Amino acid sequence: MSERRSREPEDRLGGAIDGALHLLDRQILDSFDKMVGKVDDVELTEGPDGLEITGLLTGAAALLPRLGGRLGDTTVRHWRALKPAEPLRSHPWRVDMTDVDRLDSAVHLSVAREGVLRKDRERHRLGQLTAMEVVYPDGNRLGRVLDVRFRPADDGRLVLRSLIVGRGRPGTLLGYDRRGDQGPWLVRTVVRGLHRHTAITPAARAEIDWSAATVTLDHVPHDAPGHAFG
Amino acid sequence: MKRYLAVALGILTAIGGFVDIGDLVTNAQVGARFGMSLAWVVIVGVLGICVFAEMSGRIAAVSGRATFDLVRERLGPRVGLLNLLGSMGVTFLTFIAEIGGVALSLQLVSSVNELLIVPLVGLLVWLLLWRAKFSAIENVLGLLGLALVVFAVALWQLGPDWGALAHQAATADKPGGESWTVYSYYAVALFGAAMTPYEVFFFSSGGVEEGWSREDIPVMRANVLIGFPLGGLLSLAIAGSTAMVFGPVGITVDTLGQVGLPIAVALGKIGVAVALVGFTAATFGAACETGLSVGYSIAQYFGAQWGKYVRPSEAAAFHLVLMVSTLLATAVLLAKVDPILVTEFSVVFSAVALPLTYFPILVVANDPDYLGEHVNGPVANLLGSIYLVLICVAAAVAVPLMIVTRMGQ
């Protein structure tokens, strides 16, 4: 099946990507193009240069919290209650980034799917970060983290460099807030209008509080985000 | 040569595959009550399904992603889940209607009570989905479905005043006894019947499975842009022939037997035999497509292995969904639910569910990250935007019209 496809071998892991727009919810395929699952969430670990992507999370324990709100809380609780005897049930299954080969419209692994999932650690999740509230030092609320931009370090580790923040209106996953040339005119005008307050800010100027689920900025961001691919 | 044969086969199966129980019943009902005055809706609907299927086929060919992959990627897990429940619910409703349609067709052949046939049909559908080769299902049933061309022959034999039919169609000349609200209700139903969402789920998932590439885009376009309009002509022939037979006497169509009655009037037993082959093949083919579409949408939302090109043991969850949904659909029909009534609901709710999948497809068809240079051109976007508005209007008015007109009474 795969040899019939004549796609350019592109790999987006070599450049900047936006976590929610380009990685979350993508299909994971193994080295034989068999389906493994979705990128239900992304594992973030504090490294020498800040937060970096260390794994892809998949399965119910990763997906259900992302449903958000009361639905997310309830389904997570029920998921755990279905099998109380099982340890680490609310810990998601993870695919280590060392097993990831490349990213295009899907995530391709370099190994076969049999036994590729692990439950060996639990770190921060991208889905928690993109749900966080954004506040100023004086406590005034700005909005929500919509997306985060990663850039590869010299050794290829994807490090979090910027946050994209906005009012949290619908449609941020459609990409119009980052690409002004994407049609059709009707949809672009409406979605860009809704997202006229969306701005990008360096991660260095933001303080992430995981327990309070807030991000504090030391300035008011004004730069509209461009597209990660340039 | 082989390439042209493949294109011809694709077009022929697209014609047969376009007409399903929803098109059969709705077109016959509309023809009997409104003559050709709603023909414009069939034309609008067929152009709409061409726009929708062409976009999703192009996305499948260039990016390798099927409909529900994109729904989840562009709308996120929460809205995507609601979307899944809505779209899959409608597809399941259509699945029930198609299985019921097969049973009704076989009842017309055998005179055995439909309830005795339903479990057999359910079993056959499940066996086909489990064991049969994907292309075999599509080609054999699609070609047999072409037997429905008998409606065009019947219409010609009935010798209508073509000028009057064309005039009625061109001027949307509503019969005086019908109200505008009922007229609008049937317009929405006809639109839903022509633009059933499962056709697109099935089309794009099939394209991904067959490993379409950029080079396949012209063939895909030929299938869509020739096959679907010819299927639409079949729909119009059905409406025309019931208009000729039932229109003058003011009878409404409530059974599948009545749908085939104009054939009996025009062509006698032989015609009826051919029409029954067409009914059975068209509904059977659509039953397989809707059943698979239920499995496709669930598996694509959760990322589980799906498809007919891998062994069932490698896509166990997908085949479990197929088995459970076939069982459930059979159970609903065994509870003596009228398949024609289910069909009427399914076409209206198809119109309601359309924006759920049309909108994300329209957005991705414009996204260079997925399509590179193959993004929508100005014509595709103009049509795409017009249909976005049309589809949203149809979805918004469908349920209110259904309630106000008490399902078109």
Side-chain angles (χ1 to χ4, degrees):
Chain A
M1 200 163 91
S2 58
E3 61 273 10
R4 280 191 56 202
R5 284 193 188 130
S6 58
R7 291 197 190 108
E8 290 116 52
E10 55 180 342
D11 179 18
R12 273 142 189 200
L13 295 178
I17 57 164
D18 290 351
L21 194 61
H22 302 125
L23 187 57
L24 273 181
D25 298 312
R26 299 280 167 136
Q27 180 71 46
I28 307 175
L29 300 172
D30 79 352
S31 52
F32 298 100
D33 274 355
K34 292 281 183 315
M35 297 165 199
V36 179
K38 290 280 177 186
V39 182
D40 288 316
D41 213 333
V42 173
E43 180 187 78
L44 302 177
T45 308
E46 198 71 54
D49 308 314
L51 287 166
E52 59 187 78
I53 299 180
T54 47
L56 308 176
L57 307 176
T58 189
L63 172 64
L64 297 178
R66 285 192 60 223
L67 296 179
R70 208 191 300 170
L71 179 66
D73 296 343
T74 318
T75 46
V76 169
R77 203 172 56 242
H78 287 307
W79 173 254
R80 208 177 297 144
L82 278 175
K83 212 167 183 191
E86 189 182 312
L88 306 180
R89 192 165 163 84
S90 56
H91 286 211
W93 289 105
R94 54 187 295 276
V95 177
D96 201 273
M97 279 311 271
T98 53
D99 290 332
V100 175
D101 178 39
R102 64 181 204 281
L103 166 72
D104 48 30
S105 73
V107 178
H108 299 264
L109 304 185
S110 53
V111 292
R113 65 178 176 176
E114 282 72 21
V116 72
L117 299 181
R118 322 168 178 193
K119 243 182 207 189
D120 47 358
R121 54 194 295 200
E122 164 88 306
R123 293 292 191 274
H124 297 307
R125 302 187 196 179
L126 178 60
Q128 296 170 326
L129 186 54
T130 54
M132 283 187 188
E133 247 188 71
V134 180
V135 292
Y136 297 130
D138 61 6
N140 266 345
R141 188 176 174 278
L142 170 76
R144 204 168 65 77
V145 180
L146 299 179
D147 208 337
V148 292
R149 186 158 295 175
F150 299 92
R151 277 182 207 284
D154 294 338
D155 54 0
R157 291 171 298 119
L158 282 164
V159 182
L160 193 156
R161 295 297 186 195
S162 340
L163 300 177
I164 295 168
V165 297
R167 298 279 166 92
R169 289 174 182 161
T172 181
L173 289 174
L174 302 177
Y176 293 97
D177 50 356
R178 271 152 273 183
R179 206 190 260 287
D181 58 348
Q182 187 179 327
W185 173 86
L186 178 69
V187 182
R188 179 178 65 229
T189 309
V190 172
V191 178
R192 281 184 77 83
L194 283 172
H195 283 273
R196 60 190 180 278
H197 306 289
T198 298
I200 189 163
T201 174
R205 301 190 65 179
E207 194 187 320
I208 301 169
D209 184 340
W210 291 93
S211 54
T214 53
V215 172
T216 313
L217 296 184
D218 65 357
H219 67 298
V220 183
H222 287 297
D223 299 337
H227 198 270
F229 303 162
Chain B
M1 184 63 202
K2 214 174 164 191
R3 190 171 169 83
Y4 290 108
L5 269 179
V7 176
L9 186 67
I11 293 171
L12 289 177
T13 52
I15 303 172
F18 176 81
V19 178
D20 68 351
I21 188 75
D23 297 286
L24 283 170
V25 170
T26 317
N27 280 290
Q29 287 178 332
V30 165
R33 281 181 69 170
F34 299 92
M36 296 308 281
S37 64
L38 277 163
W40 62 273
V41 180
V42 176
I43 295 164
V44 171
V46 168
L47 184 60
I49 194 77
C50 287
V51 170
F52 193 4
E54 194 274 334
M55 287 195 294
S56 63
R58 185 153 35 91
I59 295 169
V62 179
S63 76
R65 301 267 67 82
T67 307
F68 263 88
D69 286 336
L70 305 168
V71 165
R72 171 123 183 234
E73 285 163 27
R74 293 302 84 166
L75 302 179
R78 187 183 169 95
V79 180
L81 182 65
L82 291 175
N83 195 316
L84 173 73
L85 293 176
S87 301
M88 192 200 60
V90 171
T91 305
F92 181 67
L93 204 62
T94 317
F95 186 39
I96 300 173
E98 307 289 354
I99 292 185
V102 181
L104 290 179
S105 311
L106 293 177
Q107 182 186 23
L108 290 174
V109 177
S110 64
S111 302
V112 174
N113 188 301
E114 157 215 337
L115 288 181
L116 289 172
I117 304 177
V118 162
L120 181 73
V121 175
L123 185 70
L124 272 177
V125 166
W126 173 65
L127 280 175
L128 267 190
L129 296 185
W130 183 34
R131 307 295 314 192
K133 271 180 75 176
F134 187 84
S135 52
I137 304 178
E138 207 184 3
N139 294 340
V140 172
L141 293 173
L143 289 178
L144 285 175
L146 280 179
L148 291 174
V149 173
V150 73
F151 273 100
V153 180
L155 179 59
W156 171 63
Q157 276 289 309
L158 289 167
D161 179 349
W162 294 101
L165 278 189
H167 183 262
Q168 196 182 21
T171 55
D173 183 14
K174 172 181 71 73
E178 302 283 358
S179 72
W180 281 110
T181 36
V182 176
Y183 182 87
S184 315
Y185 170 75
Y186 277 102
V188 170
L190 214 45
F191 189 65
M195 283 194 78
T196 328
Y198 83 83
E199 288 170 25
V200 169
F201 305 165
F202 179 76
F203 187 68
S204 68
S205 304
V208 171
E209 277 218 87
E210 287 174 27
W212 285 353
S213 65
R214 289 155 209 265
E215 291 80 57
D216 295 313
I217 293 179
V219 177
M220 179 277 293
R221 282 204 177 121
N223 288 352
V224 169
L225 299 179
I226 303 176
F228 284 165
L230 289 176
L233 278 183
L234 266 187
S235 295
L236 289 177
I238 296 170
S241 51
T242 52
M244 290 295 295
V245 172
F246 295 109
V249 286
I251 296 174
T252 56
V253 172
D254 303 308
T255 67
L256 192 62
Q258 284 173 306
V259 177
L261 195 65
I263 307 281
V265 173
L267 301 169
K269 270 188 193 166
I270 303 283
V272 171
V274 176
L276 286 176
V277 171
F279 284 173
T280 314
T283 48
F284 213 117
C288 293
E289 293 182 7
T290 44
L292 284 170
S293 296
V294 171
Y296 287 148
S297 26
I298 296 181
Q300 283 163 13
Y301 177 88
F302 289 105
Q305 178 71 46
W306 51 269
K308 284 290 294 163
Y309 276 50
V310 295
R311 284 196 301 276
S313 61
E314 289 178 314
F318 173 70
H319 279 276
L320 184 67
V321 171
L322 294 185
M323 193 174 76
V324 170
S325 52
T326 314
L327 265 177
L328 269 177
T330 313
V332 170
L333 287 163
L334 284 178
K336 283 200 86 176
V337 176
D338 176 17
I340 300 292
L341 189 68
V342 179
T343 305
E344 290 176 36
F345 272 108
S346 77
V347 293
V348 175
F349 281 102
S350 286
V352 177
L354 257 177
L356 298 178
T357 40
Y358 181 85
F359 177 68
I361 294 285
L362 177 65
V363 168
V364 174
N366 276 286
D367 193 337
D369 298 349
Y370 287 87
L371 285 177
E373 59 191 319
H374 295 278
V375 290
N376 274 5
V379 178
N381 263 344
L382 178 67
L383 286 171
S385 305
I386 294 173
Y387 273 96
L388 179 65
V389 175
L390 268 181
I391 282 170
C392 289
V393 170
V397 300
V399 171
L401 278 174
M402 188 164 92
I403 295 169
V404 170
T405 63
R406 298 169 69 197
M407 292 193 75
Q409 280 170 15

